[in-house]
Amino acid sequence: MSQTTAAAIPQETQASEADATAKMPRQIPYIIANEGCERFSFYGMRNILTPFLITSLLLSMPESMRAGMAKEIFHTFVIGVYFFPLLGGWIADRLFGKYNTVFWLSLVYCAGHACLALFDDNRNGFFFGLFLIALGSGGIKPLVASFVGDQFDQTNKKLAQKVFDGFYWIINFGSFFASLLMPIFLKQYGPSVAFGIPGLLMLIATIVFWSGRNKYVHVAPVAKNPDSFLHVVGTALKTETPGQGRPGYWLAVTGGLLAVVSLLLIPDIGIVAALCLALVLVLGFGGAGAWLQLERARAAHPDVAVDGVRAVLRLLVVFALVTPFWSLFDQKASTWVLQANEMTKPEWFQPAQMQALNPLLVMLLIPFNNMILYPLLKRIGIELTALRRMGLGIAFAGLAWIVVGFMQLAIDGGNAIEITWQVLPYALLTFGEVLVSATGLEFAYSQAPLAMKGAIMSFWNLSVTIGNLWVLLANSSVKSPAVTEQIKTTGISVTAFQMFFFAGFALLAALLFALYAKRYQPANHYRQA
């Protein structure tokens, strides 16, 4: 087709024709199969971690302290899993590329599983295995999702959302069977087998990923860039303008000082929580400071670099407002399991098996939403944009925790509650998860500048770390006698109080998210064909 003829055709028509002829990349099945096996391995060990800690590894502790310590270890592990994406994203973007980084960190991941199976009666060996899994799983977490996005371009980007939904569906397919089977294997065959099977699945995942190495689109890492995100931010903060103050610089300095002060809290909240809190303070105050003075960077950097930094800073606000959702969601594997222990259930049923309900509902809800709910809402004039879905998802998580809060009140009052009652909060939380997480994967990728795909996906995963940080801080606060006494004046237990606190936390975040989303202008950063 000549340029003249192409120009005469409306852009919308050209886009429609491109959509009609778009083909699914042939390498996608390798990545999807890899993700299904990897997610089985991860959730297989994660979903039995709390019960294993309480019934085996922490037996030397007083019984009254085991549940609290198991919860703290679990959320510390999750913090690590979602912190290491920062390292993995940087290595991939700057040094080795996504494929090489995913492959080598997958081998580290396999070694971590081996440690769990071999050292199930040795704390140091077991915790070292958790560290290796956090490093391997966390390091590849942002890269596999962005690697999926790399396989698409402007000609077939419309298929990307379907693949991201399929990607999320296969994650939950693996999670479902892991959640259903691993508690049984733990009880009947012991921790060596229960932790060894996920390790075998991770090895299979690595082999499958390696098998597609000659079919992938490989986006080369970006060389050291003088106009990178950090360089532009540094210039904006350091540049002095005659006759003007430096409010952004001093705001960033304040964040740095508060971060140092937060390290003094290590004896109270632990080193992991203290370090994460320090990181949050640096990012929050530094980002706000850079925003205030960003225009000063235009003298030293091209407009496209400065505008890219502004876009990323706007996106980080979205991520920050999602963190309360993760503080609620990840407690289904700790707080909700502990609540299930107190509920009536069949003798053969293990409380951790309730978590299988979450991925099962995800596999049902994703096709239901895409084929029925979203088209129906569109026909009646309601367009659920990505940001609207995410805001609603946070609100549904809050509703789920109101339900478990009232259930806890009944348990505290001596009432026998059937475990089947947990189906309702699981349904509400999972609907929120589909709206937030499945949507957020594609949204985060589409908003990331081309040179920062891995890094920006790392920030998306960092929101999970911060969400679990809120859990650790809340748990640390209720250890204070003064706080405990204050809660007693409400007439409810500490556990129920925390449940309602997290529900309110999420509902407030949903409101702030909705207000911010109204002013957010989405971008399109898929690569050209």
Side-chain angles (χ1 to χ4, degrees), residues 12 105 113 122 137 214 242 404 438 464:
E12 293 81 1
L105 285 179
H113 277 294
N122 182 299
S137 174
N214 295 324
V404 296
V464 184

Side-chain angles (χ1 to χ4, degrees), residues 171-208:
I171 286 174
N172 287 276
F173 181 80
S175 175
F176 169 72
F177 287 102
S179 302
L180 201 62
L181 298 174
M182 288 304 103
I184 297 175
F185 290 157
L186 177 64
K187 182 179 180 180
Q188 295 189 357
Y189 302 107
S192 292
V193 173
F195 287 118
I197 292 174
L200 179 61
L201 265 292
M202 186 59 220
L203 180 60
I204 294 173
T206 305
I207 293 172
V208 170

Side-chain angles (χ1 to χ4, degrees), residues 109-169:
Y109 198 164
C110 292
H113 277 294
C115 287
L116 298 193
L118 293 172
F119 299 113
D120 60 282
D121 58 350
N122 182 299
R123 281 198 191 188
N124 292 335
F126 190 87
F127 290 155
F128 181 65
L130 288 180
F131 167 75
L132 292 179
I133 291 177
L135 176 60
S137 174
I140 71 174
K141 189 170 290 294
L143 305 180
V144 178
S146 58
F147 194 59
V148 170
D150 286 348
Q151 311 310 306
F152 294 87
D153 54 39
Q154 295 291 347
T155 65
N156 59 0
K157 67 179 183 181
K158 288 291 185 181
L159 297 175
Q161 179 59 58
K162 293 181 180 179
V163 172
F164 274 107
D165 281 342
F167 188 75
Y168 204 73
W169 192 92

